[in-house]
């Protein structure tokens, strides 16, 4: 087999080595346009996992590489005059030039031909002379460009500016992040050692700060001099260096995130940065390249034909590449949005930085550095007003909203039961909510409780519009307050155009077969083609419905609820005013976001006026219609949350979607938490996070990073009413209050959990 590798970077060289190990008789040539010792980077970062993969693939080259590694176990974060240090991270660095020279030597040893200063003009013509062409020609791949119609690249130029420099200040004790504030904005550096006397020093900033400093008008000498001045307190008198003298100007660039729909064409296959890029902030570009090289060499050898090898390679590697790209996207977006975190306490800022990619979780950090984690959890508890000891996880920190004190941060989210009769809660509701209140959560929500019979979603939805409703809810509230430490919140709403539908298990959002009631909405737009078209609400309707919300709030107070929430999300009546997908009014309640918020704020203000001043009130919003710029965006959500906060909302319950059938949500673990994060840290408003949160690790990560103040779990509480008590046992917390009759069960659960933990240590 005649094989050409286009590009003599780590990807191309390591594929050549890997293939020759499997097929010694293969004729493999690497074509590189630069000289053998040219390099335009500094250090390369690899993890322990990648090192193990290199050893398994080729012990000879792995050993030669290992001899030149600089190892570190610590991460240091310099921020606001502090230095936060955590350990147990396990990384190593090697100079890019050194890595290339070692791979070149190993390739020659195995019989690979290396052709330097060879620039391929037409890959299509070139490929006629070879059985296989591996296009590892880098970030600006000419191959990808030549066959763009096949590969369908998606190149997203990201927001931050960065410049890749080096220094003889070695940073040999830790991978180091440095955040420096100037009179024109913040800049930050990623610094790590890669040989005995040199470190990589990447300087990054947002475009506004870059422009304010005038970096775009500087040459490299001027740019470096300014960076030296900004970071002088950390350079120990050493200068910064460039090896990109071939580039005119200051050499700052934006990172291009590359995705390709397809990775192969005829006998040509993309690899490394040519096919996909991962942001340098998680150090996975080299990992992707080297591990893809191993996988492709395996498949080219094992599969019957090249097309089959390519298909399997693409299927197998795409999942891993997308996983790492997702982590890299999370990481780069954290740096792009770092302004929202620059007010955090150093402990929380450090935690947020370390968990930014979501590859490192709360318990993972505990395994890496239990001492640091104990200190961080103690800081969180004491800041929340909890005791100094015992040290407990963030989910068990207290929280105060007006005069309501929660003993922990777990919220049982609203979950429709469809068991009410004529709007009245039944014994089902009593048992359902009472069990969850006994289950240890700090705050328990009722499902959306409707303001009128024609404001219900389904005939099985409960309400607060009749004396018997109030009495049934009071029975529940009295039990919760007498027998548990939980607090109770009533979510109050009106179904709007999503009303008069079947019970959830009989067809969600589908209209009743008979006995339908008339619908109202902001505009006369049906929820779907299967649903009835609502009548556009008029001023008289607005006044009547506002009065019904007020009446429901007054009933909730008499029933004994500790808190109420206005449901302004998920496409129901109040939400229908906010979203431009459902509000096309031409009066003062339509058009601009300010106008669309007018009636929701009228309702909120009227409810807040009758709700006792010492009791908190929240608002649930949909922070993203998942319909692009046509609907509500996360940027809009900050403005919406601010408007309700300014009106007196104590906390914003941040959900998303369910506002229109046009929405195309992107699901995933904790997928709505970024919206809560944005509102909390950009607007300084207390938030609740919700959405596919199901493990204690998720909850603690969200809280410790400052992404929300309370965390709502829905489905986990359907499966396990005692989720909070069980979660505490699972993570070794022994300070939870259990109902006294259940002490024997608690003790057994603790013993079993302790035994399981001991077995896990062996």
């Amino acid at each position: 087999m005649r094989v050409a590798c286009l590009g003599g970077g780590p990807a191309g060289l390591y594929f050549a080595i890997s293939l020759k190990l499997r097929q010694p008789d293969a004729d493999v040539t690497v074509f590189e346009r630069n000289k053998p010792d040219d390099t335009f980077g500094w250090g390369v970062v690899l993890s322990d996992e990648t090192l193990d993969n290199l050893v398994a693939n080729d012990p000879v080259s792995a050993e030669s590489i290992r001899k030149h590694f600089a190892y570190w176990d610590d991460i240091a974060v310099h921020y606001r005059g502090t230095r936060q240090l955590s350990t147990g991270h396990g990384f190593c660095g090697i100079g890019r030039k050194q890595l290339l020279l070692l791979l070149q030597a190993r390739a020659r040893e195995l019989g690979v031909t290396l052709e330097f200063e060879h620039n391929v003009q037409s890959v299509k013509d070139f490929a006629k002379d070879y059985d296989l062409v591996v296009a590892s020609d880098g970030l600006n791949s000419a191959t990808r460009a030549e066959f763009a119609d096949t590969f369908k690249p998606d190149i997203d130029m990201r927001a931050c500016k960065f410049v890749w420099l080096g220094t003889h200040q070695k940073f040999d004790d830790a991978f180091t992040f440095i955040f420096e504030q100037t009179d024109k904005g913040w800049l930050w550096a990623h610094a790590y050692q890669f040989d005995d006397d040199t470190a990589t020093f990447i300087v990054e900033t947002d475009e506004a700060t870059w422009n304010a400093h005038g970096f775009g008008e500087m040459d490299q000498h001027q740019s470096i001099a300014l960076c030296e001045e900004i970071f002088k307190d950390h350079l120990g008198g050493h200068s910064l260096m460039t090896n990109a003298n071939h580039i005119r100007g200051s050499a700052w660039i934006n990172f291009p995130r590359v995705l390709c729909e397809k990775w192969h064409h005829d006998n040509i296959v993309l690899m490394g940065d040519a096919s996909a890029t991962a942001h340098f902030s998680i150090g996975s570009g080299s990992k992707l390249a080297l591990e893809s090289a191993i996988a492709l060499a395996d498949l080219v050898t094992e599969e019957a034909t090249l097309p089959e090898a390519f298909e399997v390679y693409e299927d197998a590697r795409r999942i891993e590449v997308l996983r790492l790209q997702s982590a890299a996207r999370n990481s780069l977006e954290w740096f792009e949005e770092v302004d929202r975190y620059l007010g955090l306490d150093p402990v929380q800022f450090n935690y947020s930085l370390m968990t930014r990619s979501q590859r490192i979780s709360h318990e993972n950090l505990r395994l890496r550095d239990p001492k640091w984690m104990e200190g961080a959890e103690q800081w969180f508890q004491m800041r929340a007003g909890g005791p100094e000891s015992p040290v407990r996880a963030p989910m068990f920190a207290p929280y105060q909203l007006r005069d309501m004190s929660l003993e922990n941060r777990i919220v049982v989210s609203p979950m429709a039961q469809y068991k009410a009769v004529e709007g009245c809660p039944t014994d089902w509701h009593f048992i359902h909510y009472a069990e969850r209140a006994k289950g240890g959560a700090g705050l328990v929500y009722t499902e959306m409780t409707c303001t009128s019979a024609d404001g219900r979603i389904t005939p099985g939805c409960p309400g607060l519009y009749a004396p018997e409703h109030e009495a049934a809810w009071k029975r529940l509230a009295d039990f919760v307050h007498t027998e548990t430490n939980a607090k109770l919140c009533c979510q109050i709403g009106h179904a709007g155009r999503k009303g008069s539908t079947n019970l959830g298990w009989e067809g969600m959002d589908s209209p009743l077969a008979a006995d339908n009631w008339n619908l109202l909405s902001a505009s006369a737009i049906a929820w779907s083609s299967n649903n009835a078209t609502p009548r556009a609400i008029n001023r008289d309707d607005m006044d009547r419905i506002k009065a019904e919300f007020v009446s429901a709030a007054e009933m909730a107070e008499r029933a004994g609820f500790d808190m109420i929430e206005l449901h302004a999300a998920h496409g129901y009546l109040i939400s229908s005013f906010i979203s431009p997908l459902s509000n096309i009014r031409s009066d003062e309640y339509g058009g601009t976001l300010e106008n669309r918020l007018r009636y929701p704020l009228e309702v909120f203000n009227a409810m807040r006026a009758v709700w006792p001043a010492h009791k908190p009130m929240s608002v649930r919003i949909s922070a993203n219609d998942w319909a692009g710029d046509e609907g509500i965006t996360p940027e809009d959500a900050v403005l919406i949350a601010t408007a309700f906060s300014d009106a007196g909302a104590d906390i914003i319950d941040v959900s998303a979607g369910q506002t229109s059938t046009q929405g195309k949500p992107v699901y995933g673990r904790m997928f709505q938490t970024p919206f809560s994060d944005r509102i909390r840290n950009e607007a300084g408003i207390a938030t609740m996070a919700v959405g596919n949160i199901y493990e204690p690790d998720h909850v603690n990560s969200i809280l410790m990073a400052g992404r929300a103040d309370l965390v709502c779990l829905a489905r986990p509480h359907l499966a396990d009413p005692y989720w909070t008590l069980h979660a505490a046992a699972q993570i070794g917390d022994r300070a939870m209050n259990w109902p006294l009759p259940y002490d024997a069960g608690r003790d057994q659960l603790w013993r079993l959990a302790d035994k399981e933990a001991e077995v896990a240590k062996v």
Side-chain angles (χ1 to χ4, degrees):
M1 180 189 291
R2 294 194 74 216
V3 180
C5 296
L6 308 185
L13 286 168
Y14 203 67
F15 173 78
I17 292 167
S18 301
L19 186 63
K20 287 292 281 186
L21 288 169
R22 291 156 177 78
Q23 298 185 34
D25 58 344
D27 179 0
V28 183
T29 304
V30 175
F31 295 91
E32 169 57 45
R33 66 179 181 175
N34 296 307
K35 297 176 182 178
D37 58 352
D38 279 347
T39 184
F40 307 111
W42 289 92
V44 171
V45 178
L46 298 173
S47 66
D48 286 340
E49 178 188 26
T50 303
L51 292 181
D52 292 341
N53 291 335
L54 297 185
V55 171
N57 183 62
D58 180 25
V60 175
S61 62
E63 180 58 27
S64 67
I65 292 169
R66 190 181 292 276
K67 289 178 181 177
H68 292 84
F69 274 143
Y71 289 91
W72 65 86
D73 212 31
D74 296 347
I75 293 178
V77 180
H78 295 261
Y79 167 69
R80 293 194 180 277
T82 69
R83 183 176 186 264
Q84 294 280 320
L85 187 72
S86 65
T87 192
H89 300 286
F91 284 93
C92 62
I94 185 172
R96 180 178 169 84
K97 181 186 289 189
Q98 182 64 64
L99 176 63
L100 293 179
L101 292 175
L102 294 173
L103 293 179
Q104 289 168 15
R106 179 57 171 156
R108 289 192 187 96
E109 181 182 302
L110 292 172
V112 176
T113 302
L114 304 180
E115 295 281 350
F116 293 98
E117 299 183 80
H118 189 121
N119 200 7
V120 176
Q121 298 298 320
S122 171
V123 179
K124 181 178 181 181
D125 294 338
F126 189 85
K128 295 175 182 177
D129 297 327
Y130 290 87
D131 301 305
L132 168 63
V133 175
V134 178
S136 50
D137 48 351
L139 193 61
N140 300 309
S141 170
T143 309
R144 187 181 65 224
E146 185 173 338
F147 300 101
D149 288 345
T150 297
F151 297 132
K152 293 183 171 57
D154 175 7
I155 302 175
D156 178 16
M157 298 301 292
R158 301 303 304 190
C160 285
K161 297 281 188 180
F162 72 96
V163 61
W164 208 296
L165 303 171
T167 180
H168 290 309
Q169 170 69 310
K170 294 187 292 183
F171 297 99
D172 55 1
D173 60 341
F175 190 111
T176 302
F177 293 100
I178 305 167
F179 293 83
E180 283 293 317
Q181 186 176 20
T182 72
D183 61 347
K184 297 178 176 64
W186 286 78
L187 295 91
W188 51 94
H190 313 239
Y192 55 90
Q193 182 189 22
F194 63 81
D195 65 24
D196 289 342
D197 63 356
T198 322
T200 296
F201 197 88
I202 304 169
V203 181
E204 189 175 15
T205 190
D206 60 77
E207 188 166 6
T209 302
W210 185 80
N211 284 326
H213 277 291
F215 282 113
E217 289 74 48
M218 297 179 186
D219 60 26
Q220 288 197 58
H221 174 75
Q222 294 168 322
S223 174
I224 289 172
L226 180 52
C227 289
E228 287 173 345
E229 175 62 25
I230 291 169
F231 293 99
K232 64 183 178 181
D233 292 343
H234 306 277
L235 291 172
H238 294 280
S239 61
L240 294 174
M241 305 176 290
T242 181
N243 57 14
N245 291 312
H246 61 295
I247 298 177
R248 295 181 179 180
S250 63
W252 290 76
I253 59 174
N254 294 71
F255 179 80
R257 191 233 39 199
V258 176
L259 293 170
C260 288
E261 187 176 304
K262 195 173 179 65
W263 290 355
H264 65 274
H265 172 72
D266 294 337
N267 64 335
I268 303 165
V269 61
L270 299 178
M271 193 171 64
D273 284 348
S275 60
T277 58
H279 193 251
F280 56 82
S281 62
I282 67 166
S284 290
S286 298
K287 170 186 174 68
L288 288 178
L290 297 172
E291 293 178 354
S292 291
I294 295 169
L296 183 60
D298 279 338
L299 293 167
V300 166
T301 301
E302 295 167 0
E303 297 296 322
T305 66
L306 281 181
E308 290 175 297
F310 291 164
E311 289 292 340
V312 177
Y313 164 71
E314 194 167 324
D315 287 344
R317 288 299 298 164
R318 187 177 291 278
I319 294 173
E320 177 65 13
V321 168
L322 288 175
R323 185 179 70 83
L324 280 171
Q325 279 197 315
S326 176
R329 184 195 65 241
N330 293 337
S331 179
L332 74 86
E333 287 179 351
W334 188 92
F335 285 103
E336 288 176 345
E337 297 158 354
V338 73
D339 276 357
R340 70 173 61 152
Y341 307 116
L342 291 169
L344 295 179
D345 180 275
V347 173
Q348 194 161 50
F349 182 85
N350 186 33
Y351 183 97
S352 179
L353 171 62
M354 288 193 293
T355 58
R356 67 193 182 279
S357 71
Q358 296 185 20
R359 292 194 301 175
I360 298 176
S361 67
H362 194 79
E363 293 306 316
N364 185 260
L365 267 181
R366 191 190 307 281
L367 288 173
R368 293 174 183 230
D369 193 343
K371 184 177 180 181
W372 186 90
M373 179 55 73
E374 182 179 3
E377 289 185 331
Q378 186 177 59
W379 167 86
F380 191 93
Q381 285 286 340
M382 294 181 69
R383 187 188 66 123
E388 185 173 351
S389 67
V391 176
R392 305 183 72 191
M395 63 191 288
F396 300 121
Y399 192 68
Q400 188 82 19
L401 284 170
R402 299 205 182 202
D403 287 357
M404 184 181 76
S405 298
L406 302 179
E407 68 172 15
N408 61 58
R409 306 293 182 104
I410 301 299
V411 179
V412 177
S413 210
M415 296 168 284
Q417 298 299 294
Y418 307 112
K419 284 287 191 175
V421 176
E422 299 296 333
C424 191
T426 65
D427 284 348
W428 176 275
H429 295 87
F430 182 88
I431 293 170
H432 171 76
Y433 291 115
E435 284 297 285
R436 280 142 190 87
K438 289 193 297 177
L443 181 62
V444 177
Y445 266 74
T446 64
E447 62 208 272
M448 188 173 97
T449 303
C450 305
T451 58
S452 63
D454 59 3
R456 291 175 297 166
I457 310 167
T458 77
C461 289
L464 261 176
Y465 53 86
E468 60 269 25
H469 304 166
E470 181 182 322
W473 288 123
K474 186 176 189 308
R475 177 185 174 223
L476 171 66
D478 288 346
F479 175 87
V480 170
H481 294 145
T482 301
E483 300 292 349
T484 82
N485 294 325
K487 297 296 188 284
L488 201 59
C489 179
C490 183
Q491 185 188 71
I492 301 174
H494 185 294
R497 65 176 180 158
K498 293 178 77 174
S500 193
T501 58
N502 286 319
L503 306 184
W505 49 81
E506 294 177 349
M508 185 72 72
D509 294 334
S510 61
L512 295 170
D515 299 323
N516 280 279
W517 54 85
N518 294 326
L519 303 179
L520 292 170
S521 189
S523 298
I525 303 173
W527 169 251
S528 77
S529 58
N530 296 323
N531 295 81
T533 299
R535 178 170 60 80
I537 192 171
N538 60 36
R539 184 66 254 181
D540 289 341
D541 299 322
M542 290 182 190
D543 291 339
R544 172 178 55 82
I545 291 172
K546 180 170 65 174
E548 290 169 351
F549 271 97
V550 167
S551 176
E554 291 172 329
M555 284 187 174
E557 158 60 10
R558 292 194 297 269
F561 282 97
D562 304 287
M563 172 177 168
I564 59 171
E565 176 171 282
L566 172 62
H567 199 331
H570 300 170
Y572 299 121
L573 179 64
I574 302 300
S575 171
S576 74
F577 273 88
I578 299 172
S579 174
L581 299 178
S582 49
N583 183 345
I584 57 172
R585 299 174 72 96
S586 58
D587 61 7
E588 66 270 33
Y589 296 98
T592 65
L593 178 59
E594 181 181 8
N595 282 357
R596 300 197 309 272
L597 278 168
R598 194 182 301 273
Y599 183 63
L601 287 169
E602 280 184 24
V603 173
F604 176 87
N605 287 326
M607 295 172 72
R608 181 71 263 186
V610 300
W611 185 243
H614 67 280
K615 289 187 176 184
M617 184 172 171
S618 62
V619 180
R620 171 167 279 203
I621 67 169
S622 284
N624 192 347
D625 283 344
W626 301 108
D629 292 337
E630 293 181 27
I632 291 296
T633 66
E635 293 86 349
D636 295 328
V638 176
L639 301 176
I640 295 166
T642 300
F644 281 115
S645 177
D646 289 346
D650 299 286
I651 193 166
I652 302 298
D653 186 356
V654 187
S655 187
Q658 302 178 56
T659 53
S660 169
T661 56
Q662 292 176 234
K664 295 181 179 179
V666 180
Y667 294 108
R669 179 170 50 96
M670 301 183 286
F671 73 109
Q672 293 176 161
T673 300
F675 309 134
S676 166
D677 184 342
R678 182 171 196 156
I679 291 168
R680 184 182 190 274
N681 291 301
E682 284 188 11
I685 296 170
T687 62
M688 292 187 272
V690 63
N692 206 22
I693 301 165
Y694 51 87
E695 293 181 356
D697 213 23
H698 301 163
V699 177
N700 288 321
S701 296
I702 290 167
L703 293 169
M704 190 73 213
R707 306 181 79 192
D709 298 278
L710 298 174
V711 179
C712 306
L713 296 91
R715 288 174 176 84
H717 280 116
L718 287 178
D720 181 3
Y722 298 90
W723 185 91
T724 307
L725 297 178
H726 294 158
Q730 176 187 333
I731 65 174
D733 185 284
R734 299 295 179 262
M736 280 295 294
N737 292 311
W738 283 60
L740 292 176
Y742 295 174
D743 278 358
R746 175 202 65 188
D747 294 344
Q748 181 186 56
L749 182 64
W750 285 358
R751 287 194 299 271
L752 293 172
D754 290 342
K755 287 180 181 178
E756 188 175 330
E758 286 300 317
V759 170
K761 292 178 183 178
V762 177

